[in-house]
């Protein structure tokens, strides 16, 4: 049975899956859209469960179209800069707040005035901007302390989907850096930046480089996707850092 690998792109509006053979020829592809949610002007959210179901749908389509071939591995590249407040076991406690969201305009402006923004840039390598995770998490801490207290983990969409596929909390540095919680010098979660957002660094996903094998599928994920249980899940990269 010929082997294939799957490249997965979880974008802002759709999940896309492409199968390639080991000579780099495209074998099959599929995509499934999901909506942006605007509960208030300037607020832009997404339902993480809808994204998960869209990924499952696209994977099942590609598996069907590539019948007679065996999937050996899959890698996810995802939109970065969006954040899912989640409970300890990884289930969302609030819709994902996307990188398009503007609820933190005033907070970021205050950080720019008092020097916090420049300090964040020096530690993380990124200028804080409205919609990025650290400002969003800090806003939740101030405006929604009830929700902030329920969120034991803050997951990027890639972290969330990797956990659904493998049962492991794992991230790659190219996507995690856009959370503005990573020390650019050490490549580890910054205790200082996590404290600014009230984030427990020990509950965050394990960091590492894109391209590493995270693990194989859980039995539940294999059954839901039609993929073989020994298919390997590989950490992909964040879209903008890779570009």
């Amino acid at each position: 049975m010929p082997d294939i690998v799957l490249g997965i792109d979880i974008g802002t509006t759709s999940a896309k899956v492409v199968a390639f053979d080991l000579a780099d020829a495209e074998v099959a592809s599929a995509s499934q859209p999901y909506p942006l949610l605007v509960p208030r002007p300037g607020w832009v959210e997404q339902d993480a469960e809808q994204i998960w179901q869209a990924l499952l749908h696209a994977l099942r389509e590609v598996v069907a179209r590539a019948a007679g071939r065996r999937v050996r591995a899959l890698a996810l590249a995802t939109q970065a800069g969006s954040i899912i407040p989640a409970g300890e076991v990884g289930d969302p406690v609030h819709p994902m707040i996307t990188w398009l969201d503007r609820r933190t305009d005033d907070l970021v402006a205050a950080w720019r005035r008092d020097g916090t923004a420049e300090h964040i840039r020096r530690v993380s390598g990124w200028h804080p901007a409205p919609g990025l995770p650290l400002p969003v998490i800090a806003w939740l801490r101030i405006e929604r302390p009830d929700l902030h207290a329920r969120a034991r983990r803050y997951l990027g969409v890639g972290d969330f989907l990797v956990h659904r596929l493998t049962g492991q909390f794992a991230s790659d540095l190219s996507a995690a850096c856009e959370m503005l919680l990573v020390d650019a010098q050490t490549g580890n979660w910054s205790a200082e930046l996590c404290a600014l957002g009230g984030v427990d660094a020990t509950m965050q996903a394990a960091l590492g480089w894109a391209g590493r094998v995270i693990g194989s599928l859980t039995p539940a994920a294999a059954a839901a996707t039609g993929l073989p249980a020994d298919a390997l899940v590989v950490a992909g990269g964040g879209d903008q850092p890779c570009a």
Side-chain angles (χ1 to χ4, degrees):
M1 182 180 292
D3 291 338
I4 57 173
V5 295
L6 305 183
I8 301 169
D9 175 20
I10 305 297
T12 303
T13 57
S14 66
K16 298 168 283 292
V17 180
V18 183
F20 295 92
D21 65 22
L22 301 190
D24 296 331
E26 182 176 326
V27 173
S29 64
S31 65
Q32 182 70 17
Y34 34 79
L36 292 166
L37 309 174
V38 185
R40 290 176 55 176
W43 293 23
V44 186
E45 301 175 348
Q46 287 181 306
D47 184 340
E49 294 291 346
Q50 284 187 323
I51 297 175
W52 169 240
Q53 292 300 321
L55 174 59
L56 293 180
H57 185 277
L59 284 169
R60 288 192 294 264
E61 277 198 31
V62 165
V63 169
R65 292 173 183 175
R69 298 173 175 87
R70 182 176 181 82
V71 177
R72 298 307 304 268
L74 55 151
L76 293 88
T78 67
Q79 58 163 302
S82 301
I83 196 69
I84 302 168
E88 186 168 348
V89 299
D91 291 332
V93 299
H94 186 273
M96 181 169 75
I97 300 173
T98 79
W99 61 274
L100 296 165
D101 193 275
R102 303 291 303 190
R103 75 189 71 189
T104 60
D105 279 1
D106 291 344
L107 176 61
V108 172
W111 281 357
R112 289 170 180 159
R113 289 193 299 270
D114 68 14
T116 300
E118 179 55 28
H119 184 67
I120 292 170
R121 187 205 64 78
R122 285 197 299 270
V123 177
S124 72
W126 285 73
H127 289 283
L132 292 181
L134 177 53
V136 166
I137 295 167
W139 183 94
L140 290 173
R141 189 182 194 184
I142 298 166
E143 301 292 338
R144 289 292 310 276
D146 58 326
L147 174 59
H148 189 278
R150 293 169 57 204
R152 299 288 291 123
R153 300 180 186 272
Y154 286 94
L155 304 175
V157 65
D159 310 339
F160 170 72
L161 296 175
V162 163
H163 179 255
R164 285 290 176 92
L165 290 168
T166 68
Q168 299 187 46
F169 290 105
S171 188
D172 76 279
L173 283 163
S174 68
C177 69
E178 285 196 53
M179 295 176 72
L180 279 62
L181 295 171
V182 176
D183 186 314
Q185 297 299 315
T186 67
N188 297 318
W189 298 110
S190 163
E192 182 181 7
L193 297 180
C194 285
L196 182 60
V199 174
D200 182 351
T202 67
M203 295 295 289
Q204 289 299 105
L207 294 173
W209 291 109
R212 76 190 192 281
V213 173
I214 294 171
S216 56
L217 297 173
T218 66
T225 59
L227 294 166
D230 61 351
L232 298 177
V233 177
V234 177
D239 49 8
Q240 290 300 318
C242 286

